[in-house]
Amino acid sequence: MSITPSTATAVRLYGPEHAADPQRSYELLRRQGPVGLAEIDTDLVVHLVTDYEAAINLLQDTDTWSKDTRPWLGQVPEHSTIRPLVEWRPSLLFADGDEHAHLRKVITDSFALLDPNDVRVLTFRHADLLLQDFADTGTVDLVGQYAHQLPLMVFNGLFGMGDEHGPRLVGALTAMMDTDPERKAAGAQSFGAYLGALYQTKAAQRGHDLTSWFIDHPNGLSQEEAINQIIITLGAGNEPTANLIANTCVRMLSDDRYFGTLTTGSLPVQHAIDDALWYDSPLANFSFHFPKKDVTFYGTRIPVGSPVMVSYAAANTCPHSGVPADGYRSGTKAHLAFAAGPHACPARSLALLIATAAIERLASYLPDIELAVAPEELTYRDGPIHRTLTSLPARFTPLTPDAEGVTPWSRSSTGPETESDSPSLVTAGRGSVRSS
């Protein structure tokens, strides 16, 4: 039987204790039943769905639930870290019914025009640019120097901007995540300028890119609508993809089942990615929904307009989700890491393609890379939404030019951009690929 909200204590989903052990938080929530009370910021309490079946039912039921945050926004303090994530915009994230279908079709149709091989080659190219910056040093923070830069650089290209704008986009969004108000404001201003330049560039001259396809789509988006679809694509596609790359790297470098991937190919990269999506969901809790009328949902009474979130992380590890007793579940696509139903992430295939290419490139060039700290020493960023590592220190044998001065990036006139490239590395001192 569910504990009623009047007798339940909200479980805090932020702070160092939750960041260190989120499964403890989810277990406390499960004691309240399929739907519990969670505090996602100071004095900001929501209902949180932790049960797999309940989550599926909510995500598929558009008759009962709305995605429009406006009636609730007045209860969210302006300074809250949650506010930017729920601030209403004319985008598919906050739309219902026909409006949602109208906006979503623009994105899904435009994504369908992307050639997967082009995306893969673009990811390889930007991965190479990042790898060149640290490949000769022997050490790297795979979060700050790789995982959290690469998706934005790829998206910058997919939206039609030149490579020189990639660092500007990375810098703007990084600053927007800062706790310092001035730096956050400067980041928001820089991001706004980037979006304005992007739209004006493509409005003046179309290209083979997402922005041009958004503008030219038969559904006829206004400038405001087009820009907001770009914002939601960047927001929904960037950090979860970056987290997926980093969280998968942790598994590959610390779990014996994936350990051989880098040197013997005992398990494919996709296997590790699937497992990370099940057990370390990069977007842990999100999907705000609001009942259109008072409802009783899985034993919990929820008043009209009250916020309800879905915990993808808790639902995926729910005892009733079908996870085998040995905790090994790669190869199935039934996880909720990309949500489900009409509002399921439209960039799922794109995110998986980028993450797979990013990890393959890293493993190809640095096959003896290992964690520079013990896995239990890794820490995660404070917050209720994303499962984000603060850093991922790793070490490897530095890449050095061969006798002719050739490096993996100068070995041919075309460079290692194609899928068939397999760099020949000239390194010394290969050792065990174990984490310390």
Side-chain angles (χ1 to χ4, degrees):
M1 178 181 294
S2 298
I3 298 176
T4 62
S6 60
T7 59
T9 299
V11 176
R12 181 176 289 185
L13 293 189
Y14 62 96
E17 187 175 59
H18 173 73
D21 188 8
Q23 285 301 325
R24 176 185 177 278
S25 302
Y26 303 142
E27 183 55 38
L28 290 173
L29 281 158
R30 290 189 187 104
R31 295 177 188 177
Q32 299 182 24
V35 183
L37 287 179
E39 185 179 32
I40 58 174
D41 201 357
T42 304
D43 298 326
L44 191 60
V45 175
V46 303
H47 288 91
L48 189 77
V49 178
T50 59
D51 179 79
Y52 184 89
E53 179 186 283
I56 290 289
N57 287 340
L58 182 146
L59 292 168
Q60 294 178 338
D61 183 3
T62 57
D63 293 331
T64 303
W65 306 94
S66 170
K67 295 285 288 178
D68 192 336
T69 62
R70 285 174 291 187
W72 174 63
L73 270 182
Q75 302 176 41
V76 184
E78 291 287 344
H79 64 271
S80 171
T81 57
I82 300 299
R83 182 84 186 201
L85 301 172
V86 298
E87 194 81 59
W88 186 89
R89 294 176 177 274
S91 80
L92 80 166
L93 182 63
F94 304 111
D96 299 318
D98 291 343
E99 181 186 5
H100 173 258
H102 172 82
L103 295 173
R104 185 179 176 91
K105 185 168 176 57
V106 175
I107 290 182
T108 55
D109 286 353
S110 299
F111 282 1
L113 295 175
L114 293 171
D115 185 320
N117 188 61
D118 289 346
V119 176
R120 187 174 175 84
V121 168
L122 182 65
T123 304
F124 282 160
R125 182 162 65 81
H126 285 295
D128 290 348
L129 291 172
L130 293 173
L131 282 160
Q132 288 178 71
D133 285 341
F134 60 79
D136 62 346
T137 68
T139 62
V140 63
D141 171 12
L142 286 173
V143 170
Q145 293 176 258
Y146 193 69
H148 271 213
Q149 293 193 50
L150 182 53
L152 280 178
M153 294 170 72
V154 174
F155 277 113
N156 175 72
L158 294 177
F159 277 109
M161 293 293 265
D163 289 355
E164 69 275 12
H165 295 279
R168 174 185 174 190
L169 178 59
V170 172
L173 293 187
T174 300
M176 288 174 66
M177 300 296 294
D178 202 281
T179 56
D180 178 71
E182 290 187 8
R183 190 159 189 270
K184 185 188 290 284
Q189 183 176 13
S190 178
F191 183 48
Y194 171 89
L195 291 170
L198 169 60
Y199 186 87
Q200 293 304 323
T201 299
K202 294 294 134 182
Q205 183 174 0
R206 305 291 198 275
H208 190 76
D209 53 69
L210 290 172
T211 308
S212 297
W213 299 332
F214 282 11
I215 294 173
D216 287 338
H217 194 277
N219 280 8
L221 297 187
S222 67
Q223 178 176 340
E224 182 186 21
E225 288 175 329
I227 289 176
N228 276 285
Q229 305 328 299
I230 295 171
I231 291 173
I232 193 59
T233 303
L234 285 172
N238 169 48
E239 185 155 5
T241 304
N243 292 345
L244 178 57
I245 294 170
N247 294 349
T248 301
C249 284
V250 172
R251 303 187 92 80
M252 292 177 64
L253 298 177
S254 62
D255 189 325
D256 285 342
R257 294 176 300 177
Y258 308 112
F259 180 71
T261 300
L262 300 182
T263 53
T264 67
S266 61
L267 290 174
V269 168
Q270 188 60 54
H271 200 118
I273 288 177
D274 285 344
D275 214 22
L277 288 166
W278 269 110
Y279 299 104
D280 209 9
S281 182
L283 186 64
N285 308 289
F286 200 56
S287 196
F288 284 87
H289 284 72
F290 306 85
K292 299 176 182 179
K293 60 182 180 181
D294 293 348
V295 297
T296 298
F297 184 69
Y298 280 76
T300 297
R301 186 68 174 171
I302 304 175
V304 60
S306 297
V308 180
M309 291 175 68
V310 174
S311 176
Y312 310 131
N316 283 348
T317 56
C318 169
H320 309 297
S321 67
V323 176
D326 63 1
Y328 186 68
R329 193 178 199 171
S330 189
T332 178
K333 309 300 182 185
H335 58 73
L336 297 182
F338 294 102
H343 285 272
C345 177
R348 173 178 182 148
S349 296
L350 181 60
L352 290 174
L353 181 58
I354 294 171
T356 302
I359 296 169
E360 287 178 350
R361 207 55 157 187
L362 179 73
S364 177
Y365 281 134
L366 308 176
D368 73 340
I369 192 168
E370 62 180 8
L371 291 181
V373 298
E376 56 269 22
E377 294 180 34
L378 297 173
T379 59
Y380 290 80
R381 205 169 68 199
D382 181 9
I385 307 299
H386 298 98
R387 182 64 171 163
T388 305
L389 281 157
T390 56
S391 65
L392 183 54
R395 61 193 174 208
F396 52 88
T397 305
L399 296 187
T400 56
D402 63 15
E404 299 178 354
V406 175
T407 67
W409 297 279
S410 63
R411 47 186 290 273
S412 70
S413 58
T414 58
E417 291 187 5
T418 62
E419 190 171 348
S420 62
D421 283 326
S422 179
S424 174
L425 305 181
V426 181
T427 55
R430 300 281 181 201
S432 172
V433 199
R434 285 262 180 203
S435 62
S436 60

